[in-house]
Amino acid sequence: MDVSLRDAADAERLPRRIRAASDAKQRDRLRTVQLAIAGEQTRTIMQRLGRSRGFVQRWCCAYRDHGLDAAMAQSPPGRPPQLPPHQHEAFRQRVLAGPTEAEGVCALRGEDMVRILQEEFGVKYSLSGVYELLRRLNLWVLVPRRQHRHADPQAMQQWAQRAPFLPVESGKNTRTSASPSGSRTKHASDSKAR
């Protein structure tokens, strides 16, 4: 592969960036460029890194045509989030504030958050999209339910005392066989006799 240094400083920067790369694919992109600059052939680079011909040629050409920054990873592929990043903190605070009196619920559910995003932030999310957004914002969905504001602790205590639950004390556990584990097994001597 015919690749030469675009900038003399790249000779020092390239090994540092390879050591600093935490992503294996990014490290291989930079190693591809480094090996091509050292004069290695495409087939040799492919074998040493275990990458395809297209991978080697794509990143060597990117460096040759645009420099070292072109061989670095770009923004991750995929659709950008519907809720812009500058509104993430506002949504997070809205969720942490809980439901308003007008909403008439004691805790926000996923469906409520879909509605809030549409009405207050002007973006449309699916239920699974809301849960993914909450995960990215470090908000836990599965939490104990709050006690309803109209709940009566005395009435709950009285109900618990009158409820027909199972008896508190049960009979003692008794062993049904001579085996300490309670299972029926053959003695070792039985199998050896045959």
Side-chain angles (χ1 to χ4, degrees):
M1 185 111 228
D2 185 26
V3 178
S4 58
L5 282 173
R6 281 185 57 94
D7 185 1
D10 287 348
E12 294 176 15
R13 278 187 262 166
L14 197 53
R16 276 187 283 147
R17 288 194 181 181
I18 290 172
R19 282 191 302 274
S22 59
D23 180 30
K25 195 170 187 178
Q26 178 61 49
R27 197 170 30 252
D28 283 353
R29 289 176 187 141
L30 296 171
R31 288 177 63 205
T32 296
V33 171
Q34 185 181 39
L35 291 170
I37 290 171
E40 296 290 340
Q41 295 297 315
T42 303
R43 184 172 300 285
T44 307
I45 298 171
M46 289 169 47
Q47 290 171 346
R48 286 186 65 181
L49 300 179
R51 295 291 182 168
S52 68
R53 176 180 296 278
F55 181 90
V56 172
Q57 290 177 344
R58 180 173 40 256
W59 295 109
C60 288
C61 291
Y63 173 77
R64 184 187 64 208
D65 298 341
H66 304 289
L68 190 56
D69 289 335
M72 299 297 288
Q74 303 300 317
S75 61
R79 184 177 175 180
Q82 293 171 328
L83 183 67
H86 69 274
Q87 289 187 325
H88 284 182
E89 187 57 30
F91 176 67
R92 187 174 197 283
Q93 292 305 319
R94 173 63 176 91
V95 171
L96 291 174
T100 61
E101 191 71 30
E103 289 173 324
V105 294
C106 62
L108 292 174
R109 299 167 303 154
E111 294 89 4
D112 299 322
M113 292 180 213
V114 169
R115 182 185 45 75
I116 288 170
L117 281 165
Q118 190 163 6
E119 292 174 1
E120 297 178 21
F121 293 90
V123 292
K124 189 170 183 175
Y125 267 82
S126 66
L127 188 58
S128 61
V130 166
Y131 290 138
E132 176 62 24
L133 176 63
L134 292 172
R135 186 193 62 76
R136 280 185 278 137
L137 296 177
N138 291 326
L139 294 171
W140 305 107
V141 177
L142 299 176
V143 295
R145 283 187 182 241
R146 294 187 208 163
Q147 190 174 15
H148 194 276
R149 62 183 170 271
H150 297 301
D152 182 10
Q154 288 179 340
M156 290 168 45
Q157 178 83 18
Q158 290 172 359
W159 182 84
Q161 291 171 352
R162 289 180 307 194
F165 292 118
L166 293 174
V168 176
E169 291 186 24
S170 63
K172 290 191 174 195
N173 292 338
T174 57
R175 203 172 353 162
T176 58
S177 69
S179 171
S181 66
S183 64
R184 297 177 185 179
T185 59
K186 289 184 179 181
H187 290 287
S189 60
D190 288 347
S191 62
K192 290 180 183 176
R194 295 180 187 186

